[in-house]
Amino acid sequence: ELEKLGLGDDVDLHVYEVPVEYQTVQRLIPALWKKHSPQLVVHVGVSGMATTVTLEKCGHNVGYKGLDNCRFCPGSQCCVEGGPECIDSIIDMDAVSSRVSALGLDVTVTISKDAGRY
């Protein structure tokens, strides 16, 4: 929907649907960064179990034990070999949550410091 609405004439928006596959992500995401040199990247995950919009304060690199859609899991249980254990968002998620809540929409926003590992 955001792709249809856009973000204004001054914003070059690129939207990609990325399969839940470790090896595809490891190949595709760096290629997209190289191609677009973005100022901001927003990764959005969808869960059929979610009852709220969850804003993640950090993403983890280790502890992955679940199989992806290709029935693959890295033997090291690590997404990026040699990468940092955690990457913290520079976006103030508390402020984002407060602003969304202030809009009076029928949306519940929660904040997490422990993104899921899949």
Side-chain angles (χ1 to χ4, degrees):
E1 290 301 312
L2 186 57
E3 189 173 26
K4 292 177 192 173
L5 295 172
L7 294 174
D9 294 336
D10 295 339
V11 177
D12 191 14
L13 177 66
H14 301 275
V15 178
Y16 294 90
E17 185 173 337
V18 179
V20 182
E21 301 168 2
Y22 294 105
Q23 292 171 320
T24 299
V25 169
Q26 289 172 350
R27 181 183 69 253
L28 183 60
I29 297 304
L32 291 174
W33 275 82
K34 186 175 182 178
K35 178 179 179 180
H36 298 293
S37 300
Q39 292 179 333
L40 174 69
V41 175
V42 177
H43 294 262
V44 179
V46 179
S47 168
M49 298 180 296
T51 58
T52 67
V53 172
T54 304
L55 304 175
E56 301 290 356
K57 287 190 172 189
C58 68
H60 300 284
N61 189 32
V62 296
Y64 289 83
K65 300 175 185 176
L67 299 176
D68 66 11
N69 288 341
C70 292
R71 304 202 45 78
F72 173 81
C73 182
S76 64
Q77 298 180 355
C78 179
C79 284
V80 178
E81 295 290 335
E85 186 172 327
C86 183
I87 298 176
D88 294 313
S89 176
I90 61 169
I91 297 172
D92 184 343
M93 296 301 179
D94 296 302
V96 172
S97 177
S98 295
R99 291 183 74 174
V100 170
S101 296
L103 293 172
L105 304 172
D106 189 23
V107 175
T108 303
V109 178
T110 58
I111 297 172
S112 170
K113 294 180 184 177
D114 189 20
R117 291 168 176 86
Y118 178 52

